[in-house]
Amino acid sequence: MSTTEAVAFWDDVHAARTPATDPQPNARLTEVVADLPPGDALDLGCGDGGDALWLARRGWRVTAVDISAVAVERLVDLARSTGLAERISPARHDLQESFPRGRFDLICAHYLQTPAPLDRASVLRSAAHALRPHGRLLVVDHGSTAPWSWNQDPDVRYPSAQEVAEGIDLDLTTWVIERAEAARRIATGPGGRTAEVVDHVLLVRRTA
């Protein structure tokens, strides 16, 4: 799949959905970030914008990027309609080509898994290096397939959080792994469907 095809794929995925009027944040974000002081955040693969909006409402300044122009344009509209445009900076960005500039107190990458070519380890390594001292990188991956997932390949394998950490290959004198685990939760999908799913959760903190 080429970059052009990847953009078209994700534009089609988002265009097929009814625009969210009140997208909800990811559960792992709220449990990890709720007690952190606000600062500058980077949302990699912002999708419908639930995480960016949740963070902005709590005082964070959020750079929210996605490969899909449809997703980005919808988040621009949502940020304006909710009065959060000054706190959220949405932008279309292909992480296979480059990484957003800046230094951040929080970088989150929820379900940054795609059929398109993407050197995830390199992206997440760049994210770790973009943290300020004491900043955190939160990586949440699918650990199981939800009934409503676009990817229903029965042979798909989901790397564990520890495998993801090993792939990033960080110097553990500069970065500390605070969590690397599989966690279960009840997820709600389209039409209110529910199912138990597994998240692979990796939380890395940059030391002073």
Side-chain angles (χ1 to χ4, degrees), residues 8 24 81 135 162:
Q24 297 302 299
S81 67
Q162 187 59 47

Side-chain angles (χ1 to χ4, degrees), residues 84-95:
L84 296 170
E86 292 186 358
R87 290 197 170 274
I88 302 177
S89 300
R92 201 200 77 77
H93 203 98
D94 184 355
L95 297 174

Side-chain angles (χ1 to χ4, degrees), residues 79-165:
R80 288 173 179 165
S81 67
T82 54
L84 296 170
E86 292 186 358
R87 290 197 170 274
I88 302 177
S89 300
R92 201 200 77 77
H93 203 98
D94 184 355
L95 297 174
Q96 180 67 11
E97 303 296 331
S98 60
F99 193 87
R101 294 183 179 180
R103 289 290 179 267
F104 303 93
D105 304 292
L106 171 70
I107 300 176
C108 53
H110 280 80
Y111 313 113
L112 192 64
Q113 292 158 301
T114 172
L118 179 65
D119 185 349
R120 274 195 7 129
S122 178
V123 170
L124 297 177
R125 191 176 304 113
S126 294
H129 282 273
L131 292 171
R132 293 186 177 126
H134 307 297
R136 288 174 170 83
L137 167 63
L138 173 62
V139 182
V140 182
D141 288 341
H142 293 296
S144 65
T145 301
W148 52 81
S149 173
W150 57 266
N151 183 2
Q152 293 295 327
D153 180 356
D155 296 323
V156 67
R157 180 184 178 278
Y158 298 110
S160 69
Q162 187 59 47
E163 288 174 309
V164 173

Side-chain angles (χ1 to χ4, degrees), residues 6-88:
V7 171
F9 173 85
W10 286 110
D11 278 345
D12 288 346
V13 167
H14 286 282
R17 300 173 180 168
T18 301
T21 57
D22 185 24
Q24 297 302 299
N26 283 293
R28 304 306 173 193
L29 177 74
T30 61
E31 72 183 26
V32 167
V33 178
D35 295 329
L36 296 181
D40 293 303
L42 173 61
D43 185 4
L44 299 175
C46 62
D48 290 336
D51 290 347
L53 292 164
W54 185 86
L55 288 166
R57 289 186 178 112
R58 282 153 182 76
W60 291 80
R61 297 173 297 275
V62 187
T63 299
V65 303
D66 201 282
I67 193 173
S68 168
V70 175
V72 169
E73 289 166 7
R74 287 180 176 178
L75 181 53
V76 168
D77 291 340
L78 272 175
R80 288 173 179 165
S81 67
T82 54
L84 296 170
E86 292 186 358
R87 290 197 170 274
I88 302 177

Side-chain angles (χ1 to χ4, degrees), residues 167-183:
I168 302 174
D169 192 26
L170 297 173
D171 181 349
L172 296 184
T173 64
T174 303
W175 290 271
V176 175
I177 297 175
E178 295 189 326
R179 287 178 66 180
E181 63 185 21

